[in-house]
């Protein structure tokens, strides 16, 4: 064997060695009973046709590679954003292992989350005993100041009552009465991760404020509440907070994972690091207003803030791109009476300068994109400001109302008027479109790399490169520390996009003596 202690080869390099190639060939010939390569190619080629696309889009009962995750995953992320809070999932251990590894792979950080490990007996008799033991053990082992409880499919199918179970656990001494335990029912079989975030957030607001509204007065603390929604770019938390500080605005960031999921390696393990203090949540009804950075996904929380806190929630879009960031900054200035400082004006000017510098390369570039509702709205806004043409917008977890709003937004500009907006569709649908209605680039999370590989397999001229912006990003490092919001976020997106356009042009003009008449040093 060529594997030696002095020179260890990792997977890809190892499997290229002769003995492994022989082993794989023998396995293929002896055990796999595979069809001939010609048949594989025939079927593959058929899946790239309009004929197959029509069949693909007519399927109704099967989802292939969903472009979304489930509710409790969002609930866990929400809970992580509060100080010394332990996310607790009432459900099976396998579900929580999935949530933790999903976040581990994206953030490259350990993620605190526990489960009460429901199994078959709990599915028959109910999971109250699991919750009793789970809450007792979680509190004894991890010593959280808050335990935020959500559910998975199993608990929801059998109808477990979180309010009753948590109350019984405290009555019977499994958990001290003094330990705050906000909760949310987050069934995985409806909604998505953004729904789960909204449900958990509303549950936390309800737990800490609904019975403590006496004496609360809108505007009395002079603050602005900021709610991020399901946000996995840690730079976005920092960008918004920096802008508010530069404006000298007093604010409460309700749910902040920027330190929780980005702890330093200095020899000290921090199970609970950062997060929004409970005291800020309790004081939040006294704020001037609450701004939802991702309003399309925060419907339940918005309703609570309006009806229980009696605050007017500004009708803003996600602050992505030039115009919508302008709207955010001007609204904050209007609400607080604080002027927009020169530092932010200069930052805006730098973005405009960058847009001007790059417009010749981005103008007319066709793009297809998939992701979550607010992110897609903001990204399409920015892309059309850059002069990119939108071909397809796929939102698996988008509503019909969101689709109409998105279509109206795109119709306002010639760069989006011909775009197709698809809700309830998955990445296998998206794959068909990449073959039959090829764009120059696609934007989305890491799962898009399989579509890029398939398009390239048909031929170099069919390849659709993937620009990785979204969640999850598993196969690249440190992108989650970047920003997509505000002027700074727009600069990052612009830089990423234009450099991918230029890299694509280099790849296409690299053939020696054939295409390299356009292989230029200066772009």
């Amino acid at each position: 064997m060529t594997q030696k202690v002095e020179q260890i080869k990792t997977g890809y390099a190892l499997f290229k060695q002769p003995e492994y190639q022989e082993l794989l060939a023998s396995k293929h010939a002896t055990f796999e009973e595979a069809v001939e390569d010609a048949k594989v190619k025939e079927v593959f080629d058929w899946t790239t046709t309009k004929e197959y696309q029509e069949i693909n889009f007519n399927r109704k009962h099967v989802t292939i590679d969903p472009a979304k995750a489930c509710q409790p995953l969002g609930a866990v992320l929400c809970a992580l954003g509060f100080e010394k809070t332990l996310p607790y999932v009432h459900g099976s251990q396998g579900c929580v292992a999935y949530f933790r590894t999903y976040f581990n792979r994206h953030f490259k950080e350990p993620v605190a989350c526990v489960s009460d490990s429901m199994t078959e007996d709990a599915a028959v008799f109910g999971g109250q005993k699991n919750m009793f033991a789970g809450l007792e053990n979680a509190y004894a082992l991890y010593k959280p100041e808050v335990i935020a409880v959500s559910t998975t499919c199993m608990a929801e199918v059998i109808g477990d009552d979180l309010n009753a179970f948590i109350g019984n656990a405290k009555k019977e001494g499994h958990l001290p009465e003094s330990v705050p335990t906000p909760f949310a029912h987050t069934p995985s079989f409806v909604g998505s991760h953004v729904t789960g975030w909204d449900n958990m957030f509303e549950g936390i607001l309800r737990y800490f404020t609904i019975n403590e509204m006496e004496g609360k007065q809108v505007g009395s603390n002079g603050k602005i509440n900021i709610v991020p929604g399901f946000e996995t770019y840690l730079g976005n938390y920092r960008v918004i907070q920096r802008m508010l500080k530069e404006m000298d605005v007093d604010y409460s960031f309700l749910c902040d994972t920027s330190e929780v999921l980005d702890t330093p390696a200095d020899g000290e393990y921090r199970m609970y690091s950062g997060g929004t203090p409970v005291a800020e949540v309790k004081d939040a009804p006294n704020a001037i207003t609450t701004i939802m950075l991702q309003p399309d996904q925060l419907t339940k929380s918005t309703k609570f803030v309006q009806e229980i806190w009696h605050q007017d929630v500004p009708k803003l879009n996600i602050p992505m791109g030039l115009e919508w960031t302008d709207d955010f900054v001007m609204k904050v200035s209007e609400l607080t009476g604080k002027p927009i400082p020169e530092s932010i004006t200069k930052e805006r000017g730098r973005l405009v300068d960058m847009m001007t510098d790059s417009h010749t390369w981005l103008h007319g570039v066709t793009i297809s994109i998939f992701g979550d509702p607010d992110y897609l709205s903001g990204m399409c806004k920015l892309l059309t400001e850059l002069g990119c043409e939108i071909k397809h917008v796929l939102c698996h977890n988008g509503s019909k109302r969101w689709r109409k709003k998105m279509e109206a937004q795109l119709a306002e500009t010639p760069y989006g008027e011909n775009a197709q907006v698809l809700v309830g569709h998955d990445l296998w649908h998206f794959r068909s479109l990449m073959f039959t209605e090829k764009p120059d680039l696609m934007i989305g999370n890491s799962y898009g790399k399989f579509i890029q590989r398939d398009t390239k397999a048909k031929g170099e001229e069919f390849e659709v490169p993937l620009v990785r912006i979204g969640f999850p990003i598993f196969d690249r490092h440190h992108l989650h520390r970047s920003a997509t919001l505000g002027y700074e976020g727009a600069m990052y997106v612009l830089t990423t996009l234009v450099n991918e356009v230029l890299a694509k042009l280099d790849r296409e003009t690299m053939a020696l003596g054939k295409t390299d008449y356009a292989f230029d040093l200066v772009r």
Side-chain angles (χ1 to χ4, degrees):
M1 302 292 282
T2 55
Q3 189 78 306
K4 299 176 182 178
V5 173
E6 295 82 7
Q7 189 177 11
I8 297 294
K9 291 182 171 62
T10 55
Y12 174 68
L14 181 64
F15 285 112
K16 288 176 66 178
Q17 302 306 304
E19 59 268 35
Y20 279 97
Q21 289 296 303
E22 292 172 12
L23 181 67
L24 293 170
S26 175
K27 175 178 175 289
H28 179 73
T30 308
F31 301 108
E32 291 181 0
E33 299 182 3
V35 298
E36 295 179 355
D37 290 346
K39 184 63 176 177
V40 173
K41 186 177 186 309
E42 177 190 338
V43 174
F44 174 86
D45 288 343
W46 177 61
T47 66
T48 71
T49 63
K50 275 282 189 182
E51 177 190 12
Y52 179 80
Q53 178 184 319
E54 184 176 351
I55 296 170
N56 188 17
F57 273 73
N58 282 330
R59 63 181 159 89
K60 297 179 180 178
H61 305 297
V62 177
T63 296
I64 305 173
D65 202 359
K68 63 176 182 177
C70 61
Q71 277 208 53
L73 181 136
V76 168
L77 184 66
C78 179
L80 287 169
F82 292 89
E83 188 178 59
K84 295 181 180 177
T85 297
L86 180 67
Y88 179 108
V89 181
H90 180 49
S92 70
Q93 180 63 37
C95 291
V96 171
Y98 153 61
F99 306 148
R100 293 182 66 183
T101 57
Y102 222 69
F103 289 133
N104 290 154
R105 292 166 181 167
H106 178 81
F107 293 107
K108 308 297 187 277
E109 291 282 335
V111 173
C113 180
V114 298
S115 162
D116 52 24
S117 302
M118 291 176 66
T119 52
E120 290 84 351
D121 58 339
V124 175
F125 301 109
Q128 182 165 255
K129 288 184 178 179
N130 294 70
M131 182 161 282
F132 287 175
L135 289 173
E136 186 172 346
N137 289 336
Y139 184 70
L141 286 170
Y142 304 117
K143 299 176 176 55
E145 292 186 4
V146 178
I147 299 177
V149 184
S150 54
T151 55
T152 65
C153 298
M154 184 187 297
E156 290 297 325
V157 168
I158 62 178
D160 280 358
D161 185 337
L162 289 184
N163 188 40
F165 285 10
I166 293 169
N168 292 339
K170 290 184 175 182
K171 286 178 185 176
E172 297 192 20
H174 299 286
L175 186 70
E177 287 278 356
S178 60
V179 178
T181 47
F183 63 88
H185 286 274
T186 52
S188 304
F189 43 80
V190 294
S192 70
H193 53 288
V194 299
T195 320
W197 198 101
D198 185 32
N199 285 338
M200 188 76 253
F201 186 73
E202 192 267 355
I204 290 171
L205 300 189
R206 181 175 295 277
Y207 186 92
F208 287 114
T209 67
I210 196 166
N211 293 321
E212 298 186 24
M213 290 302 296
E214 187 176 351
K216 297 290 193 297
Q217 184 177 350
V218 174
S220 59
N221 68 9
K223 292 184 176 182
I224 296 284
N225 295 327
I226 304 292
V227 180
F230 187 93
E231 179 55 72
T232 58
Y233 277 83
L234 302 181
N236 284 338
Y237 297 89
R238 293 161 182 159
V239 162
I240 298 299
Q241 292 178 37
R242 173 184 61 77
M243 293 175 74
L244 294 173
K245 288 174 182 175
E246 288 181 20
M247 294 181 70
D248 194 29
V249 169
D250 201 2
Y251 66 90
S252 289
F253 215 94
L254 302 182
C255 188
D256 184 356
T257 62
S258 60
E259 295 301 316
V260 182
L261 295 171
D262 197 16
T263 56
D266 57 3
E268 178 187 351
Y269 173 66
R270 301 165 175 82
M271 184 165 181
Y272 307 107
S273 178
T276 301
V278 168
E280 286 202 44
V281 179
K282 292 182 176 181
D283 186 46
N286 290 319
I288 298 167
T289 189
T290 299
I291 294 178
M292 306 291 180
L293 296 184
Q294 301 193 68
D296 283 306
Q297 65 173 250
L298 295 170
T299 53
K300 194 171 183 180
S301 299
T302 299
K303 184 178 180 181
F304 180 88
V305 168
Q306 290 172 329
E307 294 183 357
I308 305 302
W309 293 0
H310 306 296
Q311 292 180 3
D312 291 326
V313 176
K315 289 182 170 26
L316 292 170
N317 296 295
I318 185 171
M320 288 180 74
L322 186 68
E323 183 180 345
W324 287 0
T325 301
D326 288 348
D327 292 343
F328 170 77
V329 171
M330 290 189 292
K331 177 56 71 171
V332 170
S333 178
E334 174 192 327
L335 290 166
T336 61
K338 300 285 186 177
I340 299 170
E342 185 181 359
S343 60
I344 289 180
T345 302
K346 280 187 176 180
E347 184 179 9
R348 182 188 189 276
R350 292 189 185 102
L351 171 59
V352 173
D353 184 59
M354 291 175 66
M355 294 169 73
T356 305
D357 292 341
S358 300
H359 84 278
T360 52
W361 295 108
L362 292 175
H363 178 82
V365 172
T366 57
I367 291 177
S368 297
I369 183 171
F370 63 90
D372 294 327
D374 290 283
Y375 156 79
L376 289 173
S377 299
M379 186 62 74
C380 286
K381 180 65 175 177
L382 173 56
L383 291 174
T384 54
E385 287 177 335
L386 297 175
C388 299
E389 296 182 11
I390 311 297
K391 293 199 74 168
H392 310 100
V393 182
L394 184 139
C395 187
H396 199 160
N397 50 350
S399 64
K400 292 180 179 178
R401 178 181 296 177
W402 176 84
R403 184 185 65 196
K404 290 180 180 178
K405 179 182 174 183
M406 188 78 250
E407 288 173 341
Q409 174 188 326
L410 290 167
E412 293 176 352
T413 167
Y415 302 111
E417 61 185 2
N418 296 317
Q420 294 181 53
V421 180
L422 303 129
V423 300
H425 291 75
D426 55 43
L427 290 183
W428 196 252
H429 293 118
F430 195 76
R431 176 186 180 275
S432 281
L433 295 169
M434 295 307 96
F435 283 112
T436 60
E437 301 170 20
K438 179 182 178 296
D440 294 318
L441 299 170
M442 59 175 156
I443 298 177
N445 62 38
S446 290
Y447 287 101
K449 72 185 295 182
F450 297 106
I451 300 175
Q452 178 177 353
R453 178 194 59 183
D454 282 6
T455 57
K456 186 175 181 179
K458 187 174 181 179
E460 295 284 347
E461 69 274 22
F462 295 99
E463 181 181 6
V464 182
L466 169 66
V467 180
R468 289 164 175 80
I469 304 175
F471 172 82
I473 304 295
F474 290 155
D475 61 332
R476 297 291 186 271
H477 283 214
H478 310 303
L479 297 186
H480 67 278
R481 290 189 170 91
S482 304
T484 60
L485 300 186
Y487 304 123
E488 182 180 328
M491 292 178 193
Y492 165 73
V493 173
L494 189 161
T495 302
T496 301
L497 192 61
V498 73
N499 284 325
E500 179 54 45
V501 169
L502 296 175
K504 180 174 179 285
L505 183 59
D506 279 349
R507 292 192 298 269
E508 292 171 349
T509 60
M510 201 174 286
L512 196 63
K514 294 181 180 179
T515 62
D516 60 352
Y517 51 80
F519 191 65
D520 294 328
L521 181 63
V522 179
R523 296 292 192 190

